[in-house]
Amino acid sequence: MIFLTALPLFWIMISASRGGHWSAWMPSSISAFEGTCVSIPCRFDFPDELRPAVVHGVWYFNSPYPKNYPPVVFKSRTQVVHESFQGRSRLLGDLGLRNCTLLLSTLSPELGGKYYFRGDLGGYNQYTFSEHSVLDVINTPNIVVPPEVVAGKEVEVSCMVPDNCPELRPELSWLGHEELGEPTVLGRLREDEGTWVQVSLLHFVPTREANGHRLGCQAAFPNTTLQFEGYASLDVKYPPVIVEMNSSVEAIEGSHVSLLCGADSNPPPLLTWMRDGTVLREAVAESLYLELEEVTPGEDGIYACLAENAYGQDNRTVELSVMYAPWKPTVNGTVVAVEGETVSILCSTQSNPDPILTIFKEKQILATVIYESQLQLELPAVTPEDDGEYWCVAENQYGQRATAFNLSVEFAPMILLESHCAAARDTVQCLCVVKSNPEPSVAFELPSRNVTVNETEREFVYSERSGLLLTSILTLRGQVQAPPRVICTSRNLYGTKSLELPFQGAHRLMWAKIGPVGAVVAFAILIAIVCYITQTRRKKNVTESPSFSAGDNPHVLYSTDFRISGAPEKYESERRLGSERRLLGLRGEPPELDLSYSHSDLGKRPTKDSYTLTEELAEYAEIRVK
């Protein structure tokens, strides 16, 4: 299709006047539908002084020079024309009036080309004009669409067809315009070069859906079968609209995530993936993927897709939720407190989804929250029992993490009830068990002896700490007449506590009062009594049994029949003392303190000889028992 535009060449009607010259005027281009006709308007002029009697003319096809033997379209002298134009060409103008208008009928495509006119005034007065007209034989209407059609803005589309055949007039109609608007027919218009066109206009406001719409125009000639159609596709420009995008995405930490953004626009948009204002990927395309390999919690958040072109922009967001196990909980709060104070401990973590947070102490749940990232433990008035190790545990369906923390409660010393004194032979041990925080100092006071011993004197006092318990043992060495008074005093920066230690098993001091010699003598008397009873029983058995002979076996007397008074208590005392030492976890023998007797008691102390005598009596008693 050829769009007939106006050219800055005007066809000027020249009247005869003195001083004329050889010249011609005709449209530079003209068009007509195949099978119709076309009238090529033409005017020419020549010098006035020639004054020919008869004016002739010749139309040539595609060449102005006779020597090239171009096809003759029309010749006024002989009416001899090229076979292609026989019966198709005739002169409409009057050459005498300098009008050389040519009519061509039954147009076919091969007739399209350049047409030249040659004036023949006789003799040598012949002239071929360089001016010529180009004929375009068409078979489709020309639909003129504005160079830019924008959605939402009214446009005008025209259908133009040539109307240069005086014998046939075209009628125009629109095809496929129902969804766009009603057409307006303007009618026949004359162009600047003297040619004619039929024009029909269509006004409408396009939408993005009209992009690519096929719009047609039909030119029909009444009373003929001639009918021509032309089509044009609308190129509607419109801003982007994001039409495809992920909804909210959930992904497990370490997995692969693919985010898609697709937009509809004309021209194609520039798609950009962004997060927190940072461009992650961009391209001019209808769709764009953002690939995330092995996602981490740090990639959790809002992702935005921006689509833009010269006519506007659109944007949408998608939330990526990275699911992961709780992080190791952190504890921010008081870790050291004084008894009676209020303690607030905050345990926090991070996970997705939010975890179940629990605070334990010795497998006992103290506080818990569900689907929260923080848990606060309030202890309104802490006691020593609150001291110890705590655990904050965070868990969700993806894992569990825990953090241990210690609460240290500081308080004044407390002397526990198991503190006491006990005697074994010539040894008295005093046990003082103190619970406190911070670690206290411990001292033993013997008021009757006016003696005070503290734990710094390690040759007399043995101390060992386990957790909040401090155990101190004082060992007294030597014979005493009565249970000694022992006072245990413990102190730290929060206070002082004293307790007179009770004496357990005071009757066990009997052996210490009697002394070693007295004990051996009593033991020997007991053996003698046992022997006497045995001999009496033998004599009685002999008297009652006349058949008794020296060869018979005597009655067996077991050692269990001889129970020495006081001995079991002595062994039991030693056993209990050993058990106490093992329970306290003492290593080795505790140091001993040998408290000197007063001068009045020196004569009562056993001598070396008395100890030797005691050993001999014990040996004798053992032989007699056997």
Side-chain angles (χ1 to χ4, degrees):
M1 294 184 293
I2 300 177
F3 173 48
L4 300 178
T5 59
L7 299 175
L9 176 64
F10 298 96
W11 186 40
I12 304 173
M13 303 296 294
I14 301 177
S15 60
S17 62
R18 191 173 298 275
H21 58 279
W22 293 100
S23 61
W25 294 264
M26 64 187 70
S28 61
S29 62
I30 192 169
S31 60
F33 281 105
E34 182 180 359
T36 65
C37 66
V38 63
S39 173
I40 303 176
C42 176
R43 285 250 180 212
F44 69 98
D45 197 9
F46 52 86
D48 294 335
E49 62 270 17
L50 296 181
R51 297 182 181 181
V54 180
V55 178
H56 291 281
V58 181
W59 282 93
Y60 291 114
F61 181 65
N62 278 340
S63 178
Y65 305 109
K67 64 180 180 179
N68 293 335
Y69 301 103
V72 176
V73 178
F74 174 81
K75 189 173 184 180
S76 61
R77 282 184 181 272
T78 63
Q79 302 295 321
V80 178
V81 298
H82 189 271
E83 60 182 357
S84 300
F85 297 96
Q86 288 181 359
R88 292 182 171 183
S89 62
R90 61 189 176 94
L91 193 67
L92 293 182
D94 185 351
L95 295 179
L97 299 178
R98 305 180 185 186
N99 187 336
C100 51
T101 301
L102 176 68
L103 177 66
L104 298 175
S105 303
T106 317
L107 295 176
S108 59
E110 65 269 14
L111 298 184
K114 298 177 181 179
Y115 288 82
Y116 295 88
F117 178 71
R118 178 180 177 84
D120 182 5
L121 304 183
Y124 292 101
N125 295 320
Q126 298 181 18
Y127 187 83
T128 301
F129 299 97
S130 60
E131 291 83 357
H132 62 278
S133 184
V134 178
L135 173 62
D136 183 20
V137 181
I138 63 175
N139 54 20
T140 57
N142 183 31
I143 299 178
V144 180
V145 180
E148 183 177 74
V149 178
V150 181
K153 295 182 179 181
E154 186 180 27
V155 296
E156 178 185 273
V157 179
S158 62
C159 177
M160 302 177 64
V161 296
D163 189 9
N164 297 308
C165 179
E167 300 172 355
L168 296 173
R169 298 293 183 193
E171 292 182 354
L172 300 180
S173 60
W174 287 94
L175 304 175
H177 70 286
E178 293 80 6
E179 299 178 359
L180 301 177
E182 292 300 323
T184 301
V185 179
L186 294 183
R188 191 167 184 260
L189 298 177
R190 185 176 185 274
E191 296 182 301
D192 292 336
E193 291 189 318
T195 58
W196 295 87
V197 293
Q198 283 278 359
V199 179
S200 180
L201 302 179
L202 183 64
H203 291 86
F204 61 94
V205 177
T207 63
R208 65 176 56 247
E209 290 77 17
N211 182 46
H213 182 78
R214 197 161 180 257
L215 184 64
C217 178
Q218 184 183 78
F221 294 87
N223 303 319
T224 69
T225 59
L226 297 176
Q227 184 174 295
F228 304 93
E229 296 178 356
Y231 293 90
S233 294
L234 297 179
D235 184 19
V236 182
K237 310 296 183 181
Y238 53 92
V241 174
I242 295 177
V243 296
E244 186 177 15
M245 195 168 183
N246 304 81
S247 58
S248 295
V249 177
E250 289 186 357
I252 300 175
E253 180 179 10
S255 63
H256 172 83
V257 174
S258 180
L259 301 179
L260 171 63
C261 178
D264 173 39
S265 72
N266 186 26
L270 172 65
L271 293 177
T272 305
W273 275 107
M274 295 187 297
R275 179 170 181 262
D276 296 333
T278 301
V279 175
L280 304 177
R281 190 185 180 194
E282 64 179 1
V284 176
E286 293 182 354
S287 62
L288 183 65
Y289 281 93
L290 178 63
E291 305 290 346
L292 301 176
E293 303 289 343
E294 298 183 356
V295 292
T296 65
E299 294 174 292
D300 187 287
I302 303 297
Y303 290 77
C305 176
L306 175 64
E308 56 184 337
N309 63 12
Y311 301 95
Q313 65 178 22
D314 188 21
N315 67 83
R316 283 179 60 185
T317 60
V318 58
E319 181 178 3
L320 172 61
S321 183
V322 179
M323 318 302 286
Y324 58 97
W327 292 359
K328 186 176 179 64
T330 59
V331 177
N332 298 320
T334 304
V335 293
V336 178
V338 179
E339 182 179 10
E341 290 183 345
T342 297
V343 173
S344 179
I345 297 173
L346 180 65
C347 175
S348 61
T349 186
Q350 184 175 333
S351 70
N352 193 12
D354 285 332
I356 299 175
L357 276 173
T358 307
I359 295 181
F360 295 88
K361 183 177 187 286
E362 298 175 354
K363 298 184 180 181
Q364 180 181 1
I365 297 177
L366 302 180
T368 185
V369 292
I370 299 177
Y371 305 137
E372 297 287 345
S373 60
Q374 292 184 342
L375 172 60
Q376 189 155 350
L377 175 64
E378 293 284 348
L379 300 175
V382 293
T383 64
E385 285 70 25
D386 295 321
D387 189 285
E389 184 181 58
Y390 293 72
W391 284 88
C392 179
V393 180
E395 60 181 329
N396 62 13
Q397 61 265 43
Y398 300 103
Q400 181 187 82
R401 297 295 297 274
T403 296
F405 62 94
N406 289 295
L407 172 61
S408 178
V409 180
E410 296 186 343
F411 54 93
M414 295 185 295
I415 300 177
L416 304 186
L417 295 179
E418 56 259 38
S419 302
H420 67 278
C421 290
R425 293 188 179 181
D426 59 347
T427 301
V428 175
Q429 285 191 329
C430 293
L431 179 71
C432 186
V433 183
V434 181
K435 184 177 182 180
S436 75
N437 189 22
E439 183 176 352
S441 62
V442 176
F444 293 94
E445 180 183 358
L446 284 70
S448 61
R449 301 287 187 240
N450 195 23
V451 174
T452 299
V453 182
N454 59 42
E455 57 188 348
T456 59
E457 302 176 72
R458 298 191 179 277
E459 63 271 23
F460 307 123
V461 178
Y462 176 82
S463 297
E464 184 171 288
R465 184 174 178 88
S466 176
L468 298 178
L469 295 180
L470 176 66
T471 303
S472 293
I473 300 178
L474 171 67
T475 302
L476 303 179
R477 208 51 191 162
Q479 296 182 6
V480 294
Q481 298 299 318
R485 289 181 62 211
V486 179
I487 298 175
C488 177
T489 301
S490 178
R491 62 170 53 87
N492 64 11
L493 57 88
Y494 297 106
T496 302
K497 184 70 174 179
S498 296
L499 177 67
E500 183 173 346
L501 303 179
F503 203 95
Q504 296 182 356
H507 63 281
R508 298 174 192 169
L509 290 179
M510 178 185 69
W511 295 104
K513 294 179 180 180
I514 297 175
V517 176
V520 172
V521 172
F523 184 73
I525 294 173
L526 179 61
I527 295 300
I529 294 172
V530 172
C531 291
Y532 175 75
I533 294 173
T534 302
Q535 292 296 332
T536 303
R537 287 182 177 177
R538 287 179 180 178
K539 290 179 181 181
K540 185 177 180 181
N541 291 335
V542 171
T543 305
E544 293 178 355
S545 182
S547 62
F548 174 77
S549 65
D552 294 335
N553 291 328
H555 292 287
V556 176
L557 200 62
Y558 293 96
S559 61
T560 54
D561 294 338
F562 299 94
R563 297 185 182 277
I564 303 174
S565 177
E569 288 80 355
K570 179 181 67 174
Y571 300 148
E572 176 64 22
S573 175
E574 292 178 353
R575 185 189 62 79
R576 182 178 298 176
L577 181 59
S579 299
E580 291 175 351
R581 291 177 180 173
R582 287 192 298 273
L583 290 173
L584 293 173
L586 302 179
R587 294 179 294 275
E589 292 292 331
E592 299 175 348
L593 175 62
D594 188 3
L595 298 180
S596 301
Y597 286 78
S598 63
H599 292 291
S600 61
D601 296 331
L602 289 177
K604 300 178 181 179
R605 298 184 65 180
T607 63
K608 180 179 181 182
D609 294 337
S610 66
Y611 278 103
T612 304
L613 178 61
T614 302
E615 295 172 358
E616 292 175 354
L617 289 174
E619 183 180 357
Y620 172 74
E622 185 178 358
I623 295 172
R624 291 298 302 272
V625 171
K626 293 180 179 180

